[in-house]
Amino acid sequence: MTPMLTLSREGTDPSAAPPIGPVDGPRDLPHLCLLGPNLGRHPGWVTTQGEIVTDLLRRDGYTVASASSSLSPVGRLTDMLRCLWRGRRDIDVVVLSVFSGRALVTADVVSLAAHRLGLPQIHVLHGGRLPNETPARARRVLGRAARVVAPSEFLGRWARGLGIGERVQVVPNVVDLGEIDYRPRRALEPRLLWMRTFHETYHPELALETLARLRNGGVDAGLTMAGQDKGLLEPTRRRVQELDLAEHVAFPGFLGPAEKRRELSRHDLFLNTNRNDNTPVSVIEALAAGLPLVATRVGGVPDLVTDGENALLVPDDDAEAMAAAVGRLLDDPDLAESLSTAGRRRAEECAWGTVRVTWGDLFEALRRRRCP
């Protein structure tokens, strides 16, 4: 059933950029409206790709309206509808972040609103769980988009399978290489970094089990586990005690840009233990810093990196295999150096200087499609 649509003009989102009314910016660049969860505007929350791209586009001179940083799902929906309504006469292109679960319901309503207002849309896919969505609902939402952007072939293949292949384009997630210090690694110290959210999707216990196997094998390894708590921080701390690893695991909490830069610089290996994934920005950041990567072979990870070329991939939920991969890198400086330099090259493909041209071409093509 198609959601009921109500365009509200009430409420506000004080953390977001002001919605555009009449826009008085230069008309040589399309006027954009980027919609999605901008929760990274709050301290302690992960910055989303929508926020990153919004800031980079503004820096490049685009007029960009954005919503919403409200922590309430209902508040975000209201803010996004209001942003569309106020800018309906001036917006050239709407860019909508599409996630799974309840967020897909929000995307359904917002995309319908943009469609009713005659605004051309680009839908940007996020999250490794999107392929689990009901095809009919996903097809209905994405069918309103003039272009569907997937950050990896993983979601690109799924979207093409919905019958919209001619509209699907792969555009990588963006990292700001200027905020990351690159140091090629060779002879590695067993300093392991895990940097995700403490949630079952990201399987933090696998990192602990990997560390335990390394130490039981005689490797004097240490592990830093950083990120936002989504329910598993305390269970992870308890597991540290059960495995007698208290002296070897650090929990610095959520990392801001400066803290992230520091931790990436002082570690030598990055663990990605996800149960499912799409194109994790934290992994791209680790590659950009020169950290050799050991990751579970799930979701879009094999589309992002290639086993033996710029990472080592292991089966999901296999601590023995992950520990063996770490040990292999510790014992083989040539392999570590090869992965480090190749990983950096892979991350450079996600730099804004590379990706911005593709986005610019998309915007320019769609600005001419606006319906009356």
Side-chain angles (χ1 to χ4, degrees), residues 9-67:
R9 303 182 67 172
E10 300 178 0
T12 184
D13 177 13
S15 301
I20 54 179
V23 182
D24 56 6
R27 293 306 302 186
D28 57 327
L29 292 175
H31 289 155
L32 310 174
C33 181
L34 270 69
L35 302 175
N38 299 331
L39 303 183
R41 304 300 186 191
H42 299 276
W45 288 77
V46 177
T47 303
T48 64
Q49 273 293 295
E51 295 167 82
I52 293 170
V53 172
T54 294
D55 293 342
L56 290 169
L57 289 169
R58 286 176 178 153
R59 190 180 71 186
D60 285 356
Y62 284 88
T63 298
V64 185
S66 69

Side-chain angles (χ1 to χ4, degrees), residues 178-370:
E179 293 186 353
I180 299 172
D181 298 320
Y182 170 56
R183 175 169 60 86
R185 270 66 167 186
R186 178 174 169 79
L188 306 180
E189 295 293 331
R191 297 187 292 258
L192 313 179
L193 177 61
W194 182 95
M195 189 171 64
R196 296 307 295 259
T197 299
F198 287 91
H199 182 274
E200 61 181 8
T201 298
Y202 305 108
H203 201 182
E205 186 175 348
L206 178 57
L208 294 179
E209 294 171 352
T210 299
L211 177 65
R213 281 166 171 75
L214 288 168
R215 296 198 62 83
N216 291 339
V219 179
D220 187 19
L223 172 66
T224 297
M225 303 189 74
Q228 185 184 32
D229 181 23
K230 284 294 186 71
L232 282 190
L233 178 57
E234 286 309 312
T236 302
R237 288 182 181 275
R238 290 196 295 271
R239 186 61 176 151
V240 167
Q241 298 296 328
E242 293 168 1
L243 293 172
D244 195 24
L245 295 173
E247 295 182 4
H248 311 293
V249 180
F251 293 95
F254 179 83
L255 302 180
E259 295 80 12
K260 184 186 296 185
R261 189 172 197 160
R262 178 196 67 216
E263 297 299 336
L264 287 170
S265 294
R266 73 184 193 89
H267 289 82
D268 272 359
L269 283 152
F270 192 85
L271 302 183
N272 190 65
T273 58
N274 287 22
R275 297 184 188 276
N276 63 68
D277 220 331
N278 174 29
T279 309
V281 174
S282 59
V283 166
I284 302 173
E285 291 170 333
L287 297 176
L291 274 71
L293 168 69
V294 179
T296 48
R297 189 185 289 105
V298 299
V301 173
D303 292 296
L304 175 64
V305 292
T306 302
D307 184 35
E309 179 180 315
N310 44 30
L312 294 182
L313 302 182
V314 300
D316 182 26
D317 199 18
D318 192 336
E320 195 66 42
M322 184 162 276
V326 172
R328 182 181 169 194
L329 287 169
L330 293 173
D331 294 338
D332 190 342
D334 290 339
L335 176 61
E337 183 178 37
S338 174
L339 297 190
S340 176
T341 55
R344 171 68 184 194
R345 288 195 300 270
R346 182 68 181 92
E348 288 170 352
E349 297 174 19
C350 302
W352 181 240
T354 302
V355 177
R356 62 185 291 186
V357 176
T358 304
W359 276 116
D361 290 344
L362 279 170
F363 298 148
E364 194 57 41
L366 295 189
R367 77 185 298 183
R368 308 183 195 284
R369 287 194 174 194
R370 178 164 177 167

